[in-house]
């Protein structure tokens, strides 16, 4: 029997509690990265080298407010194609994907699902095969969801994305979130439908009031990260990455 060539690696940035995913077809020796973080650039390059994989694509599920993307430097170093979803303001990318678009990586077909709500440019990626896998960005987190209070976020749209798109996927679909703050690594659609407090609501207004009650602070890097991410991770400061923050009062 032929081995399954699909390789998934979940990589973590502890500064922003971001999960980055390496997806690879090991037969074709090609890979893509979902939501790479600028600070982790060297570890991605090392991993690709160690596994003898050519990086074909680097993509962001949405324009992030809490960390700086590694899309630009990855393109510079590896020659990969960079992607973000319509209507993203990340004009720096090579290509925009839209709802239903297929990203082909060797024998792997990843389907983009437009899931606005956390931001108006949020997408999830579904891999249908022997196993069903869903990379949810910040739309669906483990026992949580993304917030909806900036970057054209909308609780009404988030409710619609969750209930009419993601929860319609097969129960056994593995959920790989874009962040986790408690150490959870993966879940399933069934588990989230049953146990995620934000999915126990009857309408978008109930979801909105749950989110409202959280009284979340803005991410500390928001004013730096969003403008930098619109340029694929370029900052106006000498060094990309966040080292420069060490000597700046936050
Ligand atoms: Fe986000």
């Amino acid at each position: 029997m032929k081995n399954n060539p699909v390789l998934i690696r979940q990589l973590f940035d502890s500064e922003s509690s971001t999960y980055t995913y390496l997806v690879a077809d090991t037969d074709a020796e090609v890979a893509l990265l979902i939501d790479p973080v600028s600070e982790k650039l060297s570890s991605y390059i090392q991993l690709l080298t160690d596994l003898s994989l050519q990086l074909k694509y680097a993509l962001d599920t949405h324009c992030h407010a809490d960390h700086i993307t590694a899309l630009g430097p990855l393109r510079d170093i590896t020659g990969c194609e960079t992607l973000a979803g319509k209507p993203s303001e990340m004009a720096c990318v090579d290509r925009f994907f839209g709802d239903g678009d297929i990203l082909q990586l060797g024998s792997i077909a990843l389907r983009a699902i437009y899931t606005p709500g956390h931001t108006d440019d949020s997408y999830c990626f579904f891999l249908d095969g022997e196993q069903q896998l869903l990379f949810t960005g910040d739309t669906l987190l483990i026992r949580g969801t993304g917030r909806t209070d900036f970057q054209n976020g909308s609780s009404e749209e988030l409710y619609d994305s969750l209930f009419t798109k993601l929860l319609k996927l097969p129960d056994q679909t593995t959920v790989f979130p874009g962040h986790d703050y408690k150490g959870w690594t993966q879940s399933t659609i069934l588990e989230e439908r049953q146990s995620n407090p934000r999915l126990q609501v009857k309408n978008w207004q109930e979801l909105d009031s749950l989110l409202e009650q959280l009284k979340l602070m803005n991410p500390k890097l928001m004013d730096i990260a969003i403008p930098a991410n619109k340029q694929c991770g370029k900052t106006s400061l000498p060094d990309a990455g966040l080292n420069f923050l060490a000597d700046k009062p936050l």
Side-chain angles (χ1 to χ4, degrees):
M1 204 176 86
K2 207 169 177 310
N3 283 336
N4 181 357
V6 182
L7 173 89
I8 308 289
R9 285 292 167 85
Q10 185 180 43
L11 311 165
F12 188 58
D13 172 49
S14 56
E15 274 302 309
S16 60
S17 298
T18 298
Y19 283 127
T20 298
Y21 296 92
L22 176 91
V23 179
D25 177 330
T26 52
D27 285 348
E29 301 185 328
V30 287
L32 62 81
L33 280 164
I34 300 175
D35 290 334
V37 177
S38 154
E39 285 281 275
K40 297 288 174 185
L41 179 64
S42 57
S43 65
Y44 306 144
I45 300 299
Q46 186 66 55
L47 184 60
L48 290 162
T49 307
D50 291 349
L51 299 176
S52 303
L53 294 169
Q54 184 205 347
L55 189 67
K56 293 268 289 182
Y57 309 113
L59 62 96
D60 277 349
T61 54
H62 61 291
C63 184
H64 297 285
D66 59 352
H67 68 265
I68 295 178
T69 181
L71 255 55
L74 281 167
R75 176 174 53 192
D76 291 347
I77 296 169
T78 69
C80 71
E81 190 175 13
T82 53
L83 299 102
K86 297 169 197 164
S88 172
E89 290 179 27
M90 296 174 67
C92 53
V93 295
D94 298 311
R95 184 152 59 102
F96 291 99
F97 44 78
D99 189 45
D101 284 358
I102 302 287
L103 202 54
Q104 196 71 40
L105 180 77
S107 61
I108 299 171
L110 268 185
R111 178 159 58 90
I113 305 175
Y114 183 43
T115 52
H118 169 59
T119 63
D120 64 355
D121 66 346
S122 285
Y123 282 75
C124 296
F125 281 87
F126 184 61
L127 198 164
D128 199 359
E130 266 172 59
Q131 279 185 298
Q132 283 94 31
L133 309 177
L134 182 68
F135 301 94
T136 56
D138 294 0
T139 301
L140 176 62
L141 304 177
I142 298 176
R143 310 298 191 265
T145 63
R147 61 197 295 174
T148 58
D149 53 345
F150 50 72
Q151 289 184 284
N152 297 323
S154 155
S155 298
E156 189 171 1
E157 288 186 333
L158 180 63
Y159 179 89
D160 197 52
S161 293
L162 291 166
F163 283 86
T164 68
K165 294 184 175 175
L166 300 191
L167 293 187
K168 301 285 190 211
L169 295 171
D171 281 354
Q172 71 277 9
T173 302
T174 301
V175 169
F176 282 122
H179 291 286
D180 194 84
Y181 305 94
K182 294 182 178 166
W184 302 110
T185 54
Q186 57 180 268
S187 181
T188 65
I189 287 293
L190 177 64
E191 196 179 315
E192 292 311 305
R193 182 188 295 115
Q194 291 176 338
S195 305
N196 188 324
R198 294 187 210 167
L199 300 180
Q200 313 309 311
V201 293
K202 291 191 198 65
N203 49 48
W204 74 264
Q205 290 89 344
E206 281 188 28
L207 176 62
D208 191 51
S209 65
L210 279 182
L211 292 167
E212 185 79 13
Q213 285 162 28
L214 298 174
K215 303 261 180 275
L216 296 166
M217 309 255 289
N218 280 351
K220 64 181 180 199
L221 295 178
M222 184 170 163
D223 294 338
I224 296 169
I226 294 175
N229 288 337
K230 286 180 184 172
Q231 300 180 71
C232 288
K234 282 204 174 67
T235 66
S236 52
L237 293 148
D239 286 319
L242 303 180
N243 291 333
F244 61 85
L245 290 171
D247 29 299
K248 292 209 169 289
L250 291 175

XYZ file of all heavy atoms in Angstrom, residues 37 69 110 208:
30
model
N 5.142 33.486 10.914
C 5.455 34.633 11.773
C 6.894 35.081 11.510
O 7.814 34.254 11.494
C 5.286 34.226 13.256
C 5.682 35.364 14.192
C 3.847 33.780 13.529
N 3.783 39.222 9.736
C 3.858 38.056 8.846
C 5.277 37.858 8.300
O 6.045 38.818 8.163
C 2.884 38.230 7.661
O 2.959 37.071 6.828
C 3.220 39.450 6.823
N -6.061 22.078 -1.422
C -6.605 22.824 -0.281
C -7.676 23.771 -0.805
O -7.419 24.545 -1.730
C -5.517 23.679 0.358
C -4.670 23.152 1.509
C -3.764 24.277 2.003
C -5.510 22.616 2.657
N -22.675 38.057 19.679
C -22.148 39.408 19.840
C -22.079 39.787 21.320
O -21.086 40.362 21.771
C -23.031 40.396 19.065
C -22.396 41.755 18.965
O -21.223 41.831 18.551
O -23.050 42.746 19.333
